[in-house]
């Protein structure tokens, strides 16, 4: 079986360059998808408390371990601290609850889902809002949250920590004020927002960039996004006997980011993984560079509208 190549993180652990995103993969469908992914060679699985599917993800992994397909150490499991748990007093409890959901005894990589915290109401209220429908945000400093996450590494609950949706200034502030350097910054990254500046910045500090929503939000009826449906990208795909999503994922890997395409469709899960037997030319990468508009599919508008001091997308990168 062919596995994805790995990159060495700044703490020495290896992380596969391609992972399976599991947002909205729930119940039996999610379990089947993850088991299929492991069967065909995926070893990097990405979930989050917010996705409410950690139990299914954990069961699929545990089943594959008990079937003898993989050992626990073969799997690189990523999950995330949700925004209601930013208060340092909640961090370890949240992590332990997630480990219990997963049925595993450690997490490979634990990310702070966003730099912005939400007010804690209870465990079930993931998006606390007031009567007017506005999100209830907290002003907890993400540095304090991150320092509590560092304790999880020291206690062995997690092996690596990192961040998600952080801009360059926020990331630098973490690096300059904390003991354990983040191993990755997981951000939206696709040909529409290729994050070259942020990736170069992260590389300078030996922090990887993980790419969520790497294929945009494919809409076959509207033939959007352009980078999946245009004649020029189709021509590149035909040249290599690949699909346009495979060309896009290959492009991102060649940019040096780690895409985590989400799918529950076993055919697409297989297709997304089959990108390690061809290479794009410089000219072909230039074609894909041409789709970089900076448009986000996940702009965090509910936070943006409240003008929170830690809203991450107010600066260029």
């Amino acid at each position: 079986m062919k596995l994805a190549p790995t990159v060495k993180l700044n703490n020495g652990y290896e992380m596969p360059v391609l992972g399976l995103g599991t947002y909205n993969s729930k119940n039996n469908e999610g379990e089947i998808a993850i088991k299929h992914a492991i069967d065909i060679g995926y070893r990097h699985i990405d979930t989050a408390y917010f996705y409410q599917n950690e139990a299914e993800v954990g069961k699929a992994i545990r089943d594959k371990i008990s079937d003898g397909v993989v050992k626990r150490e073969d799997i690189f499991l990523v999950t995330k601290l949700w925004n209601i748990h930013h208060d340092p007093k909640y961090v370890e409890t949240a992590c332990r609850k997630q480990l219990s959901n997963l049925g595993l005894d450690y997490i490979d990589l634990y990310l702070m889902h966003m730099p912005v915290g939400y007010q804690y109401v209870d465990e079930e209220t993931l998006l606390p809002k007031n009567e007017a429908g506005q999100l209830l945000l907290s002003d907890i400093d993400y540095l304090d949250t991150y320092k509590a996450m560092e304790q999880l590494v020291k206690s062995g609950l997690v092996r690596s920590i990192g961040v998600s949706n952080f801009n360059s200034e926020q990331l630098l502030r973490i690096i300059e004020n904390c003991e354990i350097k983040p191993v990755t910054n997981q951000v939206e990254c696709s040909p529409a927002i290729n994050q070259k500046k942020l990736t170069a910045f992260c590389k300078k500090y030996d922090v990887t960039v993980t790419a969520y929503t790497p294929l945009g939000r494919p809409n076959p009826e509207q033939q959007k996004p352009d980078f999946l449906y245009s004649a020029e990208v189709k021509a590149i795909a035909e040249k290599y006997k690949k699909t346009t999503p495979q060309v896009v994922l290959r492009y991102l890997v060649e940019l040096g980011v780690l895409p985590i395409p989400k799918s529950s469709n076993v055919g697409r899960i297989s297709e997304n993984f089959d990108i390690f037997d061809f290479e794009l030319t410089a000219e072909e990468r230039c074609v894909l560079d041409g789709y970089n508009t900076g448009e986000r599919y996940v702009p965090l508008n509910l936070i943006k509208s409240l003008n929170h001091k830690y809203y991450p997308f107010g600066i260029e990168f």
Side-chain angles (χ1 to χ4, degrees):
M1 182 191 295
K2 196 169 183 187
L3 303 179
T6 60
V7 291
K8 187 169 281 222
L9 301 173
N10 61 40
N11 61 2
Y13 287 108
E14 300 272 343
M15 182 175 179
V17 302
L18 184 78
L20 178 73
T22 64
Y23 178 62
N24 272 344
S25 294
K26 289 188 184 176
N27 309 321
N28 199 32
E29 177 192 44
E31 218 178 292
I32 290 166
I34 293 154
K35 287 180 176 179
H36 173 74
I38 291 171
D39 282 340
I40 64 164
Y42 283 83
R43 296 294 177 263
H44 170 180
I45 312 288
D46 182 276
T47 183
Y49 186 79
F50 183 64
Y51 304 167
Q52 296 180 280
N53 64 1
E54 288 172 320
E56 292 96 315
V57 171
K59 183 176 184 304
I61 291 169
R62 294 194 319 274
D63 284 354
K64 284 295 159 188
I65 292 170
S66 65
D67 290 348
V69 177
V70 285
K71 298 186 179 78
R72 172 64 186 93
E73 58 269 25
D74 297 330
I75 297 290
F76 191 93
L77 176 68
V78 184
T79 192
K80 309 175 191 85
L81 178 82
W82 184 234
N83 308 341
I84 61 170
H85 296 132
H86 273 217
D87 188 320
K89 72 183 181 195
Y90 293 135
V91 171
E92 185 180 329
T93 312
C95 180
R96 286 187 182 277
K97 181 181 179 187
Q98 289 174 264
L99 280 165
S100 172
N101 290 343
L102 291 158
L104 299 171
D105 54 8
Y106 70 89
I107 292 161
D108 293 275
L109 173 54
Y110 198 51
L111 304 179
M112 195 187 318
H113 208 136
M114 286 180 208
V116 180
Y118 298 168
Q119 288 180 31
Y120 183 89
V121 177
D122 55 45
E123 287 299 307
E124 280 64 54
T125 309
L126 302 184
L127 294 169
K129 292 178 181 176
N130 63 16
E131 286 84 12
Q134 282 184 327
L135 265 182
L136 296 170
L137 306 181
S138 75
D139 58 359
I140 291 164
D141 191 332
Y142 56 81
L143 271 189
D144 295 332
T145 310
Y146 191 86
K147 285 174 179 172
M149 288 169 64
E150 290 179 317
Q151 298 307 312
L152 305 176
V153 179
K154 293 174 183 176
S155 63
L157 297 177
V158 310
R159 289 187 165 180
S160 305
I161 51 175
V163 295
S164 179
N165 297 303
F166 272 56
N167 64 37
S168 57
E169 289 174 4
Q170 292 168 332
L171 183 65
L172 185 60
R173 186 165 170 249
I174 292 258
I175 290 167
E176 288 178 341
N177 290 283
C178 294
E179 280 179 75
I180 300 174
K181 191 190 284 190
V183 299
T184 202
N185 184 13
Q186 185 180 124
V187 293
E188 180 175 352
C189 179
S190 73
I193 178 162
N194 66 29
Q195 300 285 13
K196 283 190 177 185
K197 288 183 176 174
L198 182 61
T199 304
F201 177 86
C202 287
K203 192 172 184 181
K204 195 165 96 178
Y205 293 97
D206 199 13
V207 175
T208 61
V209 171
T210 305
Y212 72 73
T213 321
L215 301 174
R217 295 258 166 92
N219 186 326
E221 284 173 21
Q222 294 181 352
Q223 298 282 286
K224 292 283 182 189
D226 293 343
F227 60 75
L228 281 184
Y229 296 99
S230 73
E232 52 185 359
V233 181
K234 283 179 180 170
I236 296 169
E238 282 163 17
K239 173 184 162 186
Y240 295 107
K241 297 186 170 55
K242 294 290 178 184
T243 63
T244 54
Q246 287 172 317
V247 167
V248 167
L249 293 172
R250 180 71 215 179
Y251 163 75
L252 294 172
V253 167
E254 290 181 17
L255 282 185
V257 302
L258 292 71
I260 47 168
K262 180 264 157 187
S263 184
S264 297
N265 176 298
V266 292
R268 281 196 289 274
I269 288 170
S270 298
E271 179 187 303
N272 291 342
F273 198 71
D274 186 20
I275 62 165
F276 299 110
D277 58 354
F278 73 107
E279 233 172 279
L280 300 173
T281 65
E283 292 77 13
E284 288 160 350
R285 287 196 294 274
C286 275
V287 168
L288 285 146
D289 285 345
Y291 293 95
N292 183 46
T293 60
E295 182 195 353
R296 292 179 187 276
Y297 287 90
V298 189
L300 309 184
N301 282 332
L302 287 175
I303 299 172
K304 184 180 185 180
S305 66
L306 296 169
N307 205 22
H308 192 277
K309 62 183 171 181
Y310 298 141
Y311 174 72
F313 307 144
I315 63 172
E316 188 191 355
F317 68 93

